[in-house]
Amino acid sequence: MFQATAKGFFVASGRFACRGLLLSIRHYCKKKPASVSEALTGARLGENITVQGWVRAVRAQKANLFLHVNDGSCLQSLQIVASSELQDSLLTFGSAVEVNGTLKESPHQKQPFELQADQIHVIGECNTLEFPFKIKERHSLEYIRQFPHLRSRTNAFSSLLRIRSEATAAIHSYFKENGFVHIHTPVITSNDCEGAGELFQVESSGHLQEEDDNFFSVPVFLTVSGQLHLEVMSGAFSRVYAFGPTFRAEKSQSRRHLAEFYMVEAEISFTQSLEDLTQVMEDMFRSTTEQVFARCTEDVDLFHKHVARGHRDTVDAMLKKKFPVISYSEAIDILNRSSQKFVFPTDWGCDLQTEHEKYLVKHCGDVPVFVTDYPYELKPFYARDNQDHPKHTAAAVDLLVPGVGELCGGSLREERLDLIKSRLEEVGLEDSYKWYLDLRRFGSVPHGGFGMGFERYLQCILGVDNIKDVIPFPRFPYSCLL
C-alpha cells in the first residue's frame, strides 16, 4: 500500500483514484520516437516504432502510398510504405508527420529498411504552391540563401549544419585531449583588440534618465577577438582556448567576410617559438578534418559531389603533406618572380592581399602554407618584436589555405615590459591598457597564440565559395534577416 498526492489527485491501496493520473502514467510510459538514423541501422528491426519528421517525397499508387521522411538526424530519408487508405490531402512534400508502424527489411538495395505504416498523422501541413523549395529539385546555395528561415529544410543546408556541429565537437575534443582549458571570453568589451577601430559600439536605450549616463560608465563594443582576455588567463593556465562569436564592422561584401562570425582562439604560455603555434594549428586542422570526414561521410560527399566537384582530392592532399613554412620576405620574392600580374603591389612592407595569398598557396603545391615574420608595422601592438634590422619584423604567422587565403593568424606576444610599454605609447593606447602592462609586471612569461575563422575553415574543407553559405544566419553590411 502507498499514498501520494500531486495536483489534486490521490492514490491508495494500489488503485488509481483519478483517471488523470492513469493518463499521465500512460504518457510517461510511451515509447520514445525513433530517429531516422536509428531506424536506418536496423537495430529495431521487427519492432513497432514511431518516427517523426518532414516529408521529402510522396508517391501514391492504387494500393500503396510511399513517403520519404527525414528528421535531420542524417542525410538519408526513411521510406514509409502505407496502404492507400492512409492517403490524406494534407500529406504533401514539406509537411510534418508522425508515423507509427513496423520496421522491416526493404526489397530495394538502396533502402535496406523501411517502415510499414499503421498510422500516419499530419502534424503540420505545407502549402506546396507557396513553399520556395520544390520536390526532386536541387537548388543552388545562392538560391536557398534567400530563405534563412527555411533553408535548413534542404539537403544541402541540413548537411552543412550537421558538419558544422561535428566540426565544433571535434575542435573542443582536440583542445581537451591536448590539455587546454576552455574559457568563455566576453562578447561585450571595452577593448579594441586589433586596434583597427572596426567595432560595433553597444549602447543602452530607453531607460537611462540622463543623456550622458552610460550603462557601463565607459564605451563598450562587441568583441573583435577574445585574445586579450585569453592573455589574462594565460597568466594562470599554461594552455587556454575560446570558441565563440566575434564581430567586425567592416563594410565588406566579399565572399570571405562577415560582420558576425565564429573564432577559435588559443593561447600557449612558456613558449618562445612560432613552431609551437604552427604545430597546434596544423594538428587541430588535421584532427578536426579527419573526425568530420569520418563521422559525416554522406554529408561531406554531398558537397564534394554537387557543390565542389573533385574537392575531396584537394583536401586529401592537404592532409597527406606537412604544411610548408616560408617567411614573409620569401613570400615577397616568390610574388615578384611570378609572371602573374597582381592588382595590388608586392613591395616589401605591403600587406598580403587575397590574390597574393592564393598565389602563394598554389606555388607551394595547393596545400596550406605558413607565412612567418611579417613587417612589424603590419601587426598589432601585442606582436613580439624580432628586433632585426634593417628589416624590422614581428614574430607573427598566418596560415594560408587553398580556395580561401588566410585561415589562421597568430603571433608570439610581446612579454618584455619596456618594449610593450613603448609600443602602447607609440600607438596612443597607454591609458587604456594599463591593465595589460600589469600582466607583464606580475609573473609574466613568454607566450603566444592564434585565431582561426571557423566559417573559413568550413569553406576550406567543403569547397564552398561564399562564406554566407556556411553559417546558419549570415550577418553582413545592409543585411540582417531574422
Side-chain angles (χ1 to χ4, degrees):
M1 177 177 178
F2 65 90
Q3 294 183 357
T5 59
K7 293 185 179 179
F9 51 72
F10 177 80
V11 181
S13 302
R15 293 186 178 182
F16 295 108
C18 176
R19 183 170 178 269
L21 180 59
L22 178 60
L23 293 175
S24 176
I25 289 179
R26 284 178 178 170
H27 177 74
Y28 178 83
C29 295
K30 183 180 178 181
K31 288 184 178 180
K32 179 183 176 182
S35 67
V36 166
S37 60
E38 180 188 7
L40 289 172
T41 66
R44 298 179 64 177
L45 186 64
E47 292 185 29
N48 184 271
I49 64 172
T50 298
V51 171
Q52 299 166 335
W54 292 266
V55 177
R56 290 289 178 87
V58 55
R59 177 167 52 93
Q61 295 181 344
K62 286 186 177 180
N64 292 312
L65 175 68
F66 297 90
L67 304 176
H68 283 176
V69 172
N70 188 281
D71 64 354
S73 60
C74 62
L75 176 62
Q76 193 174 354
S77 297
L78 176 66
Q79 179 165 283
I80 310 295
V81 181
S83 167
S84 58
E85 296 176 356
L86 297 180
Q87 171 70 11
D88 188 322
S89 61
L90 299 180
L91 197 59
T92 63
F93 170 64
S95 60
V97 296
E98 180 177 271
V99 184
N100 180 265
T102 304
L103 189 65
K104 296 184 175 182
E105 290 186 355
S106 173
H108 305 287
Q109 293 182 347
K110 292 183 179 181
Q111 182 79 39
F113 305 100
E114 61 187 23
L115 189 65
Q116 185 69 47
D118 299 321
Q119 295 177 323
I120 301 177
H121 176 52
V122 178
I123 296 175
E125 59 185 284
C126 178
N127 185 335
T128 55
L129 295 178
E130 297 180 1
F131 194 47
F133 310 129
K134 305 305 176 187
I135 192 170
K136 294 183 179 180
E137 186 171 336
R138 182 174 289 116
H139 301 285
S140 69
L141 295 179
E142 291 78 11
Y143 175 77
I144 67 173
R145 194 190 307 150
Q146 303 173 74
F147 311 98
H149 58 303
L150 296 173
R151 64 176 177 168
S152 59
R153 313 287 182 89
T154 65
N155 279 342
F157 207 71
S158 62
S159 285
L160 180 278
L161 293 176
R162 282 187 293 272
I163 292 169
R164 187 181 172 102
S165 177
E166 189 60 49
T168 299
I171 287 170
H172 282 298
S173 178
Y174 169 80
F175 281 118
K176 184 175 181 179
E177 290 171 2
N178 286 276
F180 285 79
V181 176
H182 184 205
I183 304 295
H184 292 111
T185 55
V187 171
I188 298 175
T189 178
S190 58
N191 297 306
D192 174 5
C193 179
E194 300 292 331
E198 297 166 337
L199 303 100
F200 290 103
Q201 187 162 352
V202 179
E203 296 181 356
S204 55
S205 62
H207 301 294
L208 298 178
Q209 300 299 318
E210 301 294 334
E211 290 185 5
D212 61 348
D213 193 3
N214 190 296
F215 189 89
F216 289 104
S217 298
V218 295
V220 296
F221 313 92
L222 296 179
T223 184
V224 298
S225 169
Q227 179 214 310
L228 296 183
H229 297 93
L230 285 182
E231 280 201 66
V232 170
M233 298 302 173
S234 69
F237 300 90
S238 60
R239 290 189 159 203
V240 292
Y241 81 102
F243 189 171
T246 52
F247 307 84
R248 301 287 169 88
E250 296 178 273
K251 288 195 173 181
S252 172
Q253 294 284 2
S254 82
R255 298 174 184 270
R256 305 189 316 147
H257 293 89
L258 290 167
E260 178 185 0
F261 56 99
Y262 278 71
M263 281 270 280
V264 179
E265 299 180 274
E267 204 73 20
I268 304 171
S269 299
F270 301 99
T271 180
Q272 292 179 289
S273 170
L274 280 178
E275 187 177 352
D276 289 341
L277 302 183
T278 59
Q279 191 64 56
V280 173
M281 292 185 210
E282 185 169 347
D283 289 349
M284 180 184 68
F285 184 96
R286 293 182 188 280
S287 173
T288 302
T289 306
E290 288 169 358
Q291 181 169 322
V292 169
F293 282 15
R295 298 186 180 181
C296 297
T297 304
E298 288 184 323
D299 295 313
V300 171
D301 285 348
L302 182 148
F303 278 86
H304 291 166
K305 290 178 181 179
H306 302 297
V307 176
R309 292 179 182 274
H311 190 69
R312 180 58 181 262
D313 294 337
T314 301
V315 182
D316 286 343
M318 294 185 209
L319 299 177
K320 289 177 182 178
K321 299 179 182 178
K322 184 167 179 60
F323 300 172
V325 181
I326 61 174
S327 70
Y328 169 87
S329 295
E330 290 173 320
I332 291 297
D333 289 341
I334 291 170
L335 295 173
N336 286 332
R337 292 198 306 267
S338 169
S339 59
Q340 182 172 323
K341 300 299 180 183
F342 297 106
V343 175
F344 293 93
T346 57
D347 303 322
W348 199 97
C350 71
D351 207 355
L352 296 181
Q353 303 297 320
T354 302
E355 60 174 347
H356 305 144
E357 295 168 349
K358 290 185 175 181
Y359 180 85
L360 291 169
V361 169
K362 189 174 182 180
H363 176 84
C364 293
D366 263 337
V367 296
V369 55
F370 290 109
V371 180
T372 67
D373 301 310
Y374 281 78
Y376 186 70
E377 294 301 321
L378 289 181
K379 293 303 175 180
F381 67 86
Y382 48 74
R384 197 176 199 273
D385 190 343
N386 279 332
Q387 293 187 304
D388 48 350
H389 301 283
K391 288 187 174 181
H392 192 189
T393 64
V397 58
D398 287 345
L399 175 60
L400 314 180
V401 296
V404 174
E406 182 188 345
L407 174 65
C408 299
S411 73
L412 297 180
R413 316 309 188 192
E414 186 57 80
E415 87 285 358
R416 294 162 291 186
L417 179 60
D418 57 336
L419 293 182
I420 190 62
K421 185 175 181 180
S422 62
R423 180 61 168 165
L424 285 171
E425 290 173 352
E426 181 184 332
V427 296
L429 294 174
E430 65 274 22
D431 292 336
S432 302
Y433 286 84
K434 290 180 179 178
W435 64 269
Y436 196 69
L437 296 179
D438 282 347
L439 298 179
R440 272 62 180 166
R441 290 190 180 98
F442 308 125
S444 178
V445 299
H447 61 286
F450 69 90
M452 181 187 79
F454 184 54
E455 283 72 29
R456 288 189 183 183
Y457 165 75
L458 294 173
Q459 282 186 276
C460 173
I461 66 168
L462 298 178
V464 175
D465 186 51
N466 198 312
I467 198 169
K468 301 177 184 67
D469 297 322
V470 293
I471 190 169
F473 302 101
R475 303 292 187 242
F476 52 96
Y478 313 110
S479 177
C480 187
L481 299 177
L482 273 69

